């Protein structure tokens, strides 16, 4: 059973990567999230209110600015891995968020408000959006963890994240607040930024900086964020169509498998990898594997993600544990990536 289970994982992930490679070679402006050039680049670009830097995380452009400050402040650590900060492994976060915005996944899925719609409030991110709420834990928590780790140095003001209009208890709004409410999650993100900072600055040539170690810490924090948010926002799936809700859960499950390989989330790799993701919300009537306006590759990948989720669920999570065990060493992860790539290119 073990070999069969590993083959399910390998074939599924190879299908994903093969599709990504065949469908996308992103260059130029399309390589960046929508409105990237308009987003804040430093904390000084955000407004100060009552002696606090105030950030509206429910505005797409401001949440994007949070990501941009992280990319800018951490650029020095990844200079050796690609020009113009393209080798920064934090690119996966804003690029995923940009895809969510572009495909309408941040808008109010209940249709009660105009939040997130072109003819209403296009930059608004709805607190009723499962994607937007899950992303909060992959944007604001990493950001506050970086603040605590000293990524931005000594700040003249405290950071305050403005609350949404509803579900306020599901989120935290400052370094102190987040530490008191979700210490494990904050600790994982702080550890990522802290270790990178300590290792990188200890050498003028960054010789002690290990990309695999950095990816391991980043993916650990990433999967912890998803594990924390998934049960909290499960009820938000009710606003989505059944196909879209299934896809969201399938994608969250797949991230655990991808994370185990320490998949590189730099700019070019993430852009290529995201090509297989559906470019619109799934709706009732979308039946896999024959969604007419999706390519055969996109249909196949969605089917594969569904099969992977079902297989992992039916084994009580054993499939993931087995995969993680195989990927528990650097040599194992390298072999896993090579195996996937060889299948993808065959």
């Amino acid at each position: 059973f073990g070999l069969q289970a590993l083959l399910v994982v390998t074939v599924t992930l190879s299908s994903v990567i093969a599709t990504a490679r065949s469908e996308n070679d992103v260059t130029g402006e399309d390589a960046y999230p929508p409105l990237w050039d308009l987003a804040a680049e430093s904390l000084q670009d955000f407004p100060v209110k009552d002696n606090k830097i105030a950030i509206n995380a429910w505005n797409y452009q401001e949440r994007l600015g949070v990501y941009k400050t992280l990319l800018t402040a951490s650029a020095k650590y990844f200079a050796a891995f690609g020009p113009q900060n393209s080798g920064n492994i934090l690119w996966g976060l804003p690029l995923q968020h940009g895809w969510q915005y572009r495909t309408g996944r941040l808008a109010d899925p209940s249709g009660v408000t105009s939040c997130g719609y072109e003819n209403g409030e296009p930059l608004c991110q709805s607190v009723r959006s499962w994607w937007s709420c899950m992303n909060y834990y992959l944007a604001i928590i990493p950001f506050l963890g970086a603040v605590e780790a000293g990524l931005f140095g000594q700040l003249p003001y405290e950071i305050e994240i403005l609350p949404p209009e509803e579900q306020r208890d599901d989120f935290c709004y400052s370094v102190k607040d987040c530490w008191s409410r979700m210490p494990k999650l904050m600790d994982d993100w702080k550890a990522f930024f802290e270790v990178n900072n300590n290792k990188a600055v200890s050498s003028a040539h960054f010789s002690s900086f290990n990309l695999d170690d950095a990816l391991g810490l980043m993916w650990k924090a990433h999967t912890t964020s998803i594990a924390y948010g998934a049960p909290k926002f499960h009820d938000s799936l009710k606003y989505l169509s059944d196909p879209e809700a299934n896809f969201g859960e399938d994608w969250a499950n797949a991230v655990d498998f991808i994370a185990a390989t320490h998949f590189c989330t730099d700019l070019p790799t993430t852009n290529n990898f995201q090509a297989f993701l559906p470019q619109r919300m799934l709706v009732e009537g979308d039946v896999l594997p024959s969604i007419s306006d999706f390519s055969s590759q996109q249909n196949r990948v969605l089917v594969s993600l569904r099969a992977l989720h079902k297989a992992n669920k039916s084994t009580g999570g054993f499939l993931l544990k087995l995969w993680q065990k195989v990927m528990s060493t650097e040599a194992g992860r390298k072999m896993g990536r090579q195996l996937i790539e060889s299948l993808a290119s065959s």
Side-chain angles (χ1 to χ4, degrees), residues 111-131:
V112 173
T113 71
S114 62
C115 180
Y117 294 97
E118 282 294 332
N119 59 353
E121 305 168 83
L123 294 180
C124 176
Q125 291 194 202
S126 176
V127 74
R128 295 189 178 193
S129 161
W130 179 84
W131 293 98

Side-chain angles (χ1 to χ4, degrees), residues 231-247:
K232 184 179 287 290
F233 303 115
H234 185 266
D235 287 349
S236 297
L237 292 169
K238 69 185 178 186
Y239 295 118
L240 303 175
S241 68
D242 287 344
E244 179 70 17
N246 287 335
F247 166 61

Side-chain angles (χ1 to χ4, degrees), residues 16-17 19-21 23-27 30-33 71 85-100 102 215 218-219 222 251 258 262-277 279:
V16 166
I17 291 178
T19 301
R21 283 182 169 182
E23 291 193 349
N24 201 38
D25 181 17
V26 180
T27 57
D30 290 341
Y32 299 93
L71 267 292
N85 205 21
S86 62
N88 194 320
I89 62 174
L90 289 173
W91 272 114
L93 298 175
L95 286 171
Q96 178 76 173
H97 193 49
W99 164 78
Q100 292 164 354
R102 188 183 297 114
L215 284 163
M218 187 275 295
W219 277 117
H222 189 123
W251 177 236
I258 296 167
H262 290 188
F263 185 81
C264 186
T265 46
D266 60 17
L267 181 69
T269 309
T270 303
N271 268 316
N272 287 333
F273 189 71
Q274 283 199 156
F276 72 88
L277 295 176
Q279 297 306 301

Side-chain angles (χ1 to χ4, degrees), residues 42-258:
S42 72
L43 292 180
Q44 286 72 33
D45 295 331
F46 288 101
V48 175
K49 297 178 181 178
D50 299 325
N51 289 323
K52 292 181 179 179
I53 297 172
I55 299 174
N56 180 7
W58 301 98
N59 174 284
Y60 168 73
Q61 191 169 317
E62 290 203 34
R63 196 182 292 193
L64 194 66
V66 165
Y67 283 129
K68 197 169 183 180
T69 63
L70 284 175
L71 267 292
T72 302
S74 62
K76 58 189 176 186
Y77 307 144
F78 301 96
F81 302 107
Q84 297 178 311
N85 205 21
S86 62
N88 194 320
I89 62 174
L90 289 173
W91 272 114
L93 298 175
L95 286 171
Q96 178 76 173
H97 193 49
W99 164 78
Q100 292 164 354
Y101 173 76
R102 188 183 297 114
T103 58
R105 286 178 164 84
L106 304 178
D108 182 356
S110 71
V112 173
T113 71
S114 62
C115 180
Y117 294 97
E118 282 294 332
N119 59 353
E121 305 168 83
L123 294 180
C124 176
Q125 291 194 202
S126 176
V127 74
R128 295 189 178 193
S129 161
W130 179 84
W131 293 98
S132 182
C133 291
M134 290 289 287
N135 177 265
Y136 192 96
Y137 286 86
L138 290 167
I140 301 306
I141 311 303
F143 169 68
L144 294 176
V147 170
E148 182 72 356
L151 182 68
F152 301 101
Q154 191 69 33
L155 296 177
Y157 304 103
E158 288 183 30
I159 304 287
E160 180 182 34
I161 309 299
L162 304 181
E165 293 183 358
E166 51 187 282
Q167 296 178 225
R168 295 190 177 204
D169 290 343
D170 288 335
F171 309 96
C172 60
Y173 307 104
S174 67
V175 170
K176 185 178 180 181
D177 183 31
C178 292
W179 267 113
S180 66
R181 295 168 63 175
M182 49 197 74
K184 174 66 169 67
L185 187 50
M186 280 288 287
D187 194 55
D188 280 357
W189 281 109
K190 182 189 176 190
F192 166 71
F193 289 104
E194 206 164 45
V195 170
N196 289 341
N197 184 49
N198 291 342
K199 284 189 175 182
V201 300
S202 66
S203 167
H205 301 291
F206 300 95
S207 60
S208 61
F209 187 86
N210 184 290
L211 188 60
D212 186 70
D213 288 346
L215 284 163
L217 287 166
M218 187 275 295
W219 277 117
K220 180 185 177 185
H222 189 123
T223 53
T224 301
S225 285
I226 290 178
Y228 191 96
K232 184 179 287 290
F233 303 115
H234 185 266
D235 287 349
S236 297
L237 292 169
K238 69 185 178 186
Y239 295 118
L240 303 175
S241 68
D242 287 344
E244 179 70 17
N246 287 335
F247 166 61
E249 293 190 299
D250 294 344
W251 177 236
N253 171 76
V255 168
D256 282 326
F257 288 90
I258 296 167

